């Protein structure tokens, strides 16, 4: 579960994460493989660090760092 900033809970969705990364990379020379790798890394990090509930801000920060590295 993802804890949103306004206190709501939402099911974690790998597909939603990938869609957001695709949108962010839309006009950039980033390969689909690189985007998939970022999603895989993000999911693995979330799974390792949080058991039941992950703050949405953590996911956002982690993805932004990954996009910066690309």
């Amino acid at each position: 579960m993802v804890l949103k900033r306004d206190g709501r809970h939402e099911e974690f969705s790998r597909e939603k994460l990938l869609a957001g990364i695709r949108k962010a990379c839309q006009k950039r020379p980033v390969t689909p493989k690189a985007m998939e790798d970022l999603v895989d890394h993000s999911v693995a990090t979330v799974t390792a660090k949080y058991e039941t509930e992950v703050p949405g801000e953590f996911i956002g920060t982690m993805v932004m760092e990954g996009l910066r590295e690309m």
Side-chain angles (χ1 to χ4, degrees):
M1 295 296 286
V2 177
L3 176 60
K4 300 296 218 169
R5 198 177 305 179
D6 64 1
R8 291 180 300 124
H9 289 84
E10 186 176 293
E11 195 69 36
F12 180 79
S13 170
R14 185 182 194 288
E15 291 75 31
K16 184 175 178 180
L17 183 60
L18 182 57
I21 291 171
R22 281 187 180 137
K23 186 164 184 91
C25 296
Q26 204 168 15
K27 296 184 180 184
R28 307 236 182 322
V30 179
T31 65
K33 171 82 169 102
M35 289 183 246
E36 285 283 342
D37 290 345
L38 178 56
V39 171
D40 290 341
H41 178 265
S42 300
V43 170
T45 303
V46 166
T47 305
K49 190 166 181 149
Y50 296 93
E51 290 185 23
T52 58
E53 190 174 88
V54 58
E57 291 178 42
F58 174 78
I59 296 171
T61 302
M62 179 179 49
V63 169
M64 288 303 294
E65 288 174 9
L67 289 171
R68 245 183 254 117
E69 290 175 9
M70 284 189 204

